[in-house]
Amino acid sequence: MKILNDEDIYQRELNRIFAQTWVYVGHESEVPEPGDYRQRTIGEDPFVFVRDENGTLRVLFNSCRHRGANVCRAEKGNTTHFRCPYHGWTYQNTGDLVGVPQKGDGFDHLDADEYGLREAANVDTYNGLVFACIAPDAPQLEEYLGGATWYLDMYFDLIDMEVIGDPQRWVVDADWKTPTENFYGDNYHVPMGHKSAIDVGIGSETATGEEESELYGIADCDGHAFSIYQIDSEKPMFWGHPEDVVETFNHDALDDDQHEVARRSGVTLGTIFPNLSFIFLGGRDDPNKDPVGTFCLRQWQPRGPGKMEAWNWILAPKDAPAEYKERVYEVGMSTFSAAGNFEADDIGIWDGIDDAAGSVFVEQTEATTLFTMGRGENAAATIDDDWAGPGTAYADGGLTDENQLDFYRTWYETITTEGAE
Amino acid sequence: MQDEQVQQATLRLECEEFLYHTAELLDDRRLSEWHDLVTDDIEYRIPIRTTRERSKPTEFSKSAFHMKEDWGTLKVRTNRMASDFAWSEDPPSRTRRQVANVRITDVSDDEIDLKNNLVVVRSRKAETDPDILSMERHDTLRRDEDGYAPDWTERKGLKLARRTVLLDHTVIPTDSLSIIL
Ligand code: FES
Ligand SMILES: [Fe+2]
C-alpha cells in the first residue's frame, strides 16, 4: 500500500515509467493548423506539443538551449517561432535555432544546427491520439499498444472524434495510481460510490438497470485494460449515440467482430498504461433531457507522491451536428470532470488513501490492499473463451480484480526494469 | 446627496444584500433554498481559463467549461448534493464566501447587471491550509415576485438570471467542484 505515497517510489516512477514508456501528449484535433501549439507535461516535465510549419507533430522540450528559460509561455496558441524572453534566442516551430542576437560578436563559434530545442525522442500517432516517449529506444507505438489497438479502433477508427475546447484541469489529493487502478476496471465501486448520481436519474441505461447488460473485464491486453458493457439487444447501441449520429461512423473500418461489440456497447472504459484513461458512456445531465454518447479522455498527471493533477478532454464525433456536439460536451462535463456529478464522489472517496499509504503503520506492518476478488470456488467472474477480441475477457467483470492486477503487474515490471537512469 | 445618488446607492445595497444572502445559503448548504432564487431561464457558466499571451482578447474559452448549467441541471446538482450518498460532500467541506467589490454596470427596467469579486475559502477534515478559490462574477439579477428582498425595501425581490464565473485559476486548486460558486 505504501507505493501510493512514497518519495523513492515516486522518483522511480518518474524515471522509469514516465521517462521510458509512451505517454499521451494530446489529440491531433487540438493542433489542427501548422504553428498550433499546446503546453503539455510528460510526467512532470514541460513540453510543447506543436504542429510545425511542415505539418509534422513535435514534442519540444520547453527550455532554451542557452540558459534554460521557457521559450513557450502561453498554454496554447499559434506561432511560427518561439522567442526566448531572456536573451532573445529564436527557434522555429520545428525546434531549429534560427536567431541568436549579436551572434557574430558573441557566438561566432556556435553551430546553430547543434542547438535546436531538445525534443522527445519518439513521437507517434494512433488514430489521432498522439504519444511521445522521451527515451530513445522505444518499441513502435503500435507494438506498445499491442492488443489495445483492437479496442482503440472501435472508438477512434470507427468514429472520427475531435476534442472540444480546452481540457479541465484540477488538483487531486490522491496518487496518480489510484484513479488509474480504478479506470483499469474497478466496476465493483459503481453501485455504492455513485449512488447519489444514479439516484437523481442521470446514470447510463446500464447503470440504472434500464437495459440488461453483461459486463466484460478485458485483462492481459499487453498491459492495458478495458471494461465493456454489452447490451443484449438487436438495436444499435453504440454507447448511446442516436441513429443519425451512428450513420456518420466509418462502419467499414472495423471487422465484423469489432463492429458487433461496438454495436452492443453500453458504457465502456479503460486505461492505456501508464496514465491515459477514458470513459465512453450514454448519459445525461438532466433526467428530462435525451441521453447522448459522450467520451471523456483523461490523464492522471503525477505531481508528487500521493498527489496528482487530473486533465479531462471531452470528445465528440466530428461529423455530428453542432448542437449535438454541444450536448456531448455538456453531458461529459456534468458527469465526469472536476464538477462532474459522478467524478466528484470518486474523488471524495479517494481523499485519505494517500494519508494511510504514507503512514508509519503501513510501513511497519507492510500493510497491503486486497486484490482477490473473483478468486475462489464460487466466483461469479468467469473467462469467456468466445470473446472475439484480444486479452482475457471475464464475464461478470465487475466481480474480479484481474484488470487492476494487470495494472500493478505492468507497473511493477516497468519500474523494476533497468532503464537509462 | 442628490436623489439619483441615493437611488443608486440603495440599489447597490439591495444587490449586495442579495449576494450576501445567497452566499450564506451556499455556505450553510441550504442548496434548495438557493435554487429557489434562480430564474427558470438561468444561464450559469464557469468557462475554462488558459494562460494566453496578453495580445489575445480573452483567456476564457467559448466552448469549454467547468460548469454550464440551466435550471434543470442546477436542480440535479442541488438534489444530488443533498443525497445521503454524495460522498464528496459528506462529511461536507466547510466553505466561507467573501463577496466584495460590487459594481453595477447596467440597469434596465427589471434587470441589473453587476460585477463582484468572490473568494471562497474551503476546508476539509482537520486540514489547516484551506483551498482558496478566487474569481470575478458577472451576474444579472432580475426582479421577481418570489425573489429575495431585504425587509427595508418595498420593491419586488431579486433572482439570479445569469452568472459567469471568471476564475483566477487555470488549474482548479481544489479536489472537486462539488460546491456552487
Ligand atoms: S536563456 Fe534563452 S536566450 Fe538566454
Ligand atoms: Fe467512479
Side-chain angles (χ1 to χ4, degrees):
Chain A
M1 182 169 188
K2 87 176 231 185
I3 62 166
L4 296 173
N5 186 354
D6 181 273
E7 184 61 43
D8 287 348
I9 286 173
Y10 180 71
Q11 287 306 327
R12 252 202 226 207
E13 290 175 340
L14 291 183
N15 285 295
R16 295 195 178 171
I17 296 177
F18 293 97
Q20 300 287 329
T21 62
W22 286 95
V23 176
Y24 183 70
V25 290
H27 193 266
E28 270 186 341
S29 65
E30 292 183 278
V31 288
E33 301 298 329
D36 285 351
Y37 68 85
R38 300 258 176 183
Q39 279 196 33
R40 290 290 136 95
T41 54
I42 298 178
E44 294 201 57
D45 300 350
F47 285 87
V48 187
F49 168 43
V50 58
R51 187 182 293 274
D52 76 17
E53 57 199 43
N54 312 313
T56 307
L57 293 169
R58 293 181 178 273
V59 178
L60 305 172
F61 191 52
N62 189 10
S63 175
C64 183
R65 291 296 302 275
H66 179 223
R67 291 288 162 76
N70 286 151
V71 295
C72 173
R73 301 176 356 120
E75 221 171 306
K76 63 171 184 180
N78 181 288
T79 189
T80 54
H81 292 85
F82 296 104
R83 191 175 66 201
C84 181
Y86 201 173
H87 311 90
W89 285 28
T90 303
Y91 304 87
Q92 236 168 9
N93 58 18
T94 54
D96 293 329
L97 177 63
V98 292
V100 173
Q102 291 154 294
K103 182 167 190 306
D105 296 336
F107 283 102
D108 195 23
H109 57 285
L110 187 89
D111 178 2
D113 290 349
E114 306 260 304
Y115 284 88
L117 290 173
R118 293 191 173 87
E119 57 188 324
N122 296 283
V123 178
D124 203 356
T125 305
Y126 192 77
N127 282 342
L129 304 168
V130 185
F131 294 81
C133 177
I134 299 181
D137 23 274
Q140 294 294 311
L141 175 62
E142 222 172 304
E143 189 188 320
Y144 176 78
L145 295 171
T149 56
W150 195 89
Y151 299 95
L152 291 177
D153 289 345
M154 280 201 316
Y155 324 118
F156 294 103
D157 206 5
L158 175 67
I159 314 174
D160 291 325
M161 291 221 251
E162 65 181 358
V163 167
I164 303 183
D166 304 304
Q168 290 124 358
R169 300 171 57 184
W170 71 103
V171 295
V172 179
D173 224 350
D175 192 79
W176 68 275
K177 293 187 290 307
T178 294
T180 302
E181 169 202 315
N182 179 281
F183 274 76
Y184 257 75
D186 188 323
N187 298 295
Y188 181 46
H189 82 289
V190 176
M192 180 72 180
H194 296 301
K195 186 165 164 45
S196 73
I198 293 167
D199 285 353
V200 292
I202 55 167
S204 65
E205 290 172 339
T206 47
T208 55
E210 273 167 68
E211 293 279 2
E212 282 285 308
S213 63
E214 176 69 69
L215 168 59
Y216 290 92
I218 317 289
D220 304 326
C221 201
D222 298 302
H224 321 293
F226 302 88
S227 302
I228 300 179
Y229 283 86
Q230 290 281 281
I231 296 170
D232 199 9
S233 162
E234 295 301 309
K235 288 187 293 184
M237 303 313 296
F238 293 104
W239 309 278
H241 281 299
E243 235 165 277
D244 58 323
V245 173
V246 168
E247 270 169 28
T248 68
F249 295 174
N250 311 314
H251 294 278
D252 296 340
L254 303 184
D255 70 31
D256 291 350
D257 289 332
Q258 279 171 308
H259 195 266
E260 183 58 8
V261 174
R263 185 189 68 74
R264 294 173 59 204
S265 280
V267 179
T268 298
L269 53 114
T271 299
I272 301 297
F273 187 85
N275 66 337
L276 180 70
S277 298
F278 72 90
I279 180 159
F280 195 0
L281 80 159
R284 50 195 135 198
D285 47 4
D286 180 339
N288 300 313
K289 292 183 195 167
D290 290 337
V292 299
T294 190
F295 194 102
C296 297
L297 185 69
R298 55 250 328 285
Q299 200 169 17
W300 317 108
Q301 307 278 18
R303 290 293 180 264
K307 292 216 172 330
M308 65 160 183
E309 188 181 309
W311 290 54
N312 183 48
W313 295 264
I314 298 167
L315 287 83
K318 204 159 116 199
D319 300 321
E323 317 82 75
Y324 183 75
K325 289 197 246 186
E326 206 174 321
R327 288 295 298 144
V328 168
Y329 188 86
E330 289 166 8
V331 170
M333 172 201 76
S334 64
T335 47
F336 286 91
S337 76
N341 282 302
F342 280 83
E343 185 119 31
D345 284 343
D346 283 318
I347 292 169
I349 296 162
W350 295 333
D351 177 28
I353 295 179
D354 59 311
D355 296 334
S359 66
V360 176
F361 184 78
V362 159
E363 172 95 50
Q364 291 190 347
T365 58
E366 294 179 19
T368 57
T369 53
L370 182 71
F371 290 93
T372 57
M373 185 171 60
R375 301 280 167 90
E377 301 248 309
N378 301 315
T382 47
I383 294 178
D384 182 343
D385 292 319
D386 295 333
W387 181 258
T392 308
Y394 292 83
D396 243 320
L399 293 173
T400 168
D401 280 331
E402 292 304 325
N403 282 29
Q404 292 100 301
L405 279 170
D406 227 39
F407 167 57
Y408 283 112
R409 278 191 210 108
T410 311
W411 174 86
Y412 182 76
E413 241 171 67
T414 315
I415 64 160
T416 51
T417 303
E418 282 299 326
E421 212 170 302
Chain B
M1 262 202 285
Q2 304 293 317
D3 271 6
E4 202 182 319
Q5 286 169 315
V6 172
Q7 260 178 28
Q8 274 177 13
T10 317
L11 182 64
R12 199 180 71 213
L13 195 59
E14 219 182 320
C15 293
E16 283 173 351
E17 293 217 16
F18 175 86
L19 295 173
Y20 296 156
H21 176 68
T22 47
E24 180 176 351
L25 293 178
L26 293 174
D27 284 345
D28 292 350
R29 307 190 53 74
R30 289 152 63 191
L31 298 175
S32 78
E33 286 174 66
W34 178 84
H35 190 266
D36 289 341
L37 292 177
V38 306
T39 61
D40 297 349
D41 60 348
I42 173 114
E43 283 175 35
Y44 178 105
R45 288 163 179 223
I46 310 177
I48 288 176
R49 186 169 202 155
T50 47
T51 305
R52 306 295 309 267
E53 283 155 342
R54 204 160 57 183
S55 58
K56 296 288 178 270
T58 176
E59 293 196 324
F60 293 98
S61 175
K62 287 192 182 62
S63 56
F65 302 85
H66 294 291
M67 283 173 71
K68 179 177 176 224
E69 309 294 311
D70 59 23
W71 187 92
T73 60
L74 283 171
K75 189 78 202 150
V76 164
R77 287 179 188 277
T78 50
N79 283 349
R80 188 189 73 75
M81 290 175 197
S83 145
D84 285 344
F85 301 96
W87 310 117
S88 55
E89 289 297 327
D90 193 6
S93 60
R94 295 174 282 268
T95 57
R96 192 62 55 203
R97 289 167 176 75
Q98 320 290 337
V99 183
N101 301 43
V102 176
R103 291 144 285 163
I104 292 180
T105 53
D106 200 17
V107 182
S108 67
D109 275 354
D110 66 341
E111 287 194 345
I112 305 145
D113 292 339
L114 58 87
K115 298 182 193 173
N116 62 100
N117 295 356
L118 177 71
V119 173
V120 184
V121 181
R122 188 185 197 197
S123 311
R124 276 186 193 278
K125 305 192 294 189
E127 284 161 6
T128 48
D129 45 347
D131 297 337
I132 294 172
L133 292 152
S134 148
M135 72 211 76
E136 181 177 69
R137 297 187 297 187
H138 292 188
D139 293 342
T140 299
L141 309 184
R142 188 186 299 153
R143 298 273 169 207
D144 188 294
E145 290 296 349
D146 305 320
Y148 172 78
D151 49 17
W152 48 263
T153 175
E154 306 273 276
R155 315 229 290 180
K156 262 198 264 177
L158 294 168
K159 280 194 176 185
L160 182 66
R162 276 190 293 284
R163 168 164 289 167
T164 304
V165 177
L166 301 173
L167 290 167
D168 293 333
H169 316 283
T170 58
V171 180
I172 302 285
T174 192
D175 259 2
S176 60
L177 279 178
S178 48
I179 54 172
I180 289 168
L181 302 175

